[in-house]
Amino acid sequence: MANSVVATAFGGPDVLTVIDEQVPAPGPGEVQVELRAVGVNPFDYKSYSGAFGSDPASLPVRPGLEGAGVVVAVGEGAAGPAGPLAVGDEVIVHPGKGSYTQLLNIDAGDALPKPPSLPWEQAAGLLATGTTAVDALTTAQVTSSDTLLIHGAAGAVGALAVQLAVARGATVIGTARESKHDYLRSLGAVPVAYGDGLLDRVRAAAPNGVDAAFDTAGTDEAVDASLALVADRGRIVTIVAFGRAAQDGFPAIGGGSPESARIRQEARSELIELAGRGQLDVLVAKTFPLEAAAQAHTELQSPHPSGKFVLLP
């Protein structure tokens, strides 16, 4: 038996409930993972909010995209990206649909070895945000000669994008509230405050211009500044402002296209290797017991400390 969090209706975090359920043995090509930590992402609460439809036939909704844990059962022929899997292997799970649970059956191809040096909480919060950041930087064609503007740079996705872009040799300007500027400096970014006068502050920070922009904020302010600063709209990428992207002709990525899916899948092993070597930091803002998933979702939608929220089953 395992505790799992499900949404029994569409709405806010109050529709989440914890159930005790029997988890079947893994099938061929699958493994069963006892999760030690589960990453929390904005998509998780959007999945039951009604934003993607509210067909009662799709209930209950099982939120969750990622996690980390120990293999406790192995189906016939189960092999991951690093080879055959065995009971006792420590793995990072992504994608791991429905990961708000103690026991999760997944395709073995989505169970990647966890480095011993990487704590469970960081491992669980690495891949959903990290692969999104890689997808954005690849789409924006960021290179060592570029100046990159990242909106919402102190958020979970933004912070990994800062680190990855800096590692490429790019100059990074990151928007955030002033209380998070020291954090951005520690990652190697030049921080600027958002709000009135943003355009002037970015121009002052980038006297030679801005080559590309990555929007994780989704505000009109962020989009308008990007359009004013970046000459090539193909190098402005958003993960939230889908309406503006369609209207103004710049890329919006959500992982749903074959190209995005390929980029994200191929990025997983490298991200894990970097994090395991201490060259990529996953800041964990707060942890919650699995049973407090509703509280985590409520707090995630309000101003909160930089970093990832993580559930502990």
Side-chain angles (χ1 to χ4, degrees):
M1 301 296 288
N3 286 340
S4 301
V5 175
V6 300
T8 55
F10 294 100
D14 58 299
V15 304
L16 293 177
T17 189
V18 179
I19 61 173
D20 189 28
E21 61 181 350
Q22 184 72 43
V23 180
E30 293 183 336
V31 292
Q32 186 173 99
V33 179
E34 182 182 84
L35 293 169
R36 301 292 177 84
V38 175
V40 178
N41 297 281
F43 182 86
D44 299 344
Y45 56 75
K46 292 177 182 176
S47 68
Y48 61 82
S49 69
F52 307 124
S54 54
D55 183 359
S58 63
L59 294 172
V61 174
R62 295 177 176 269
L65 297 171
E66 60 181 344
V70 179
V71 174
V72 293
V74 178
E76 181 182 356
L85 288 160
V87 171
D89 286 348
E90 296 184 350
V91 294
I92 300 176
V93 172
H94 180 73
K97 186 176 180 181
S99 61
Y100 284 26
T101 184
Q102 293 174 320
L103 291 175
L104 182 67
N105 289 342
I106 60 162
D107 186 293
D110 296 326
L112 296 94
K114 183 188 83 67
S117 59
L118 192 61
W120 290 113
E121 293 87 350
Q122 292 188 28
L126 170 64
L127 290 183
T129 48
T131 57
T132 300
V134 171
D135 192 3
L137 297 182
T138 302
T139 302
Q141 304 172 54
V142 175
T143 68
S144 60
S145 62
D146 288 329
T147 294
L148 170 68
L149 172 63
I150 300 179
H151 298 283
V157 175
L160 289 180
V162 168
Q163 294 175 71
L164 292 166
V166 168
R168 291 187 184 191
T171 298
V172 179
I173 298 169
T175 72
R177 63 172 61 98
E178 291 187 8
S179 62
K180 299 184 177 182
H181 283 192
D182 285 344
Y183 172 56
L184 289 183
R185 290 188 186 97
S186 75
L187 299 181
V190 178
V192 297
Y194 51 72
D196 291 344
L198 172 63
L199 200 55
D200 290 337
R201 288 191 293 276
V202 174
R203 284 179 170 144
N208 295 321
V210 174
D211 302 291
F214 175 30
D215 167 42
T216 75
T219 62
D220 284 334
E221 174 189 64
V223 172
D224 291 341
S226 299
L227 292 170
L229 292 162
V230 179
D232 181 354
R233 294 192 178 190
R235 303 192 68 193
I236 300 171
V237 180
T238 186
I239 56 172
V240 276
F242 291 94
R244 287 297 304 271
Q247 173 186 312
D248 295 304
F250 58 89
I253 57 171
S257 74
E259 181 64 8
S260 276
R262 180 191 65 79
I263 291 170
R264 296 182 188 211
Q265 184 176 47
E266 292 178 356
R268 297 179 302 175
S269 294
E270 181 180 2
L271 287 165
I272 293 171
E273 183 178 349
L274 289 171
R277 293 202 305 256
Q279 296 175 329
L280 190 62
D281 181 51
V282 181
L283 178 65
V284 176
K286 193 171 182 179
T287 61
F288 302 79
L290 181 68
E291 295 77 11
Q295 179 187 346
H297 285 191
T298 299
E299 293 189 23
L300 191 62
Q301 296 177 67
S302 305
H304 58 272
S306 298
K308 288 280 292 197
F309 282 8
V310 175
L311 303 177
L312 302 178

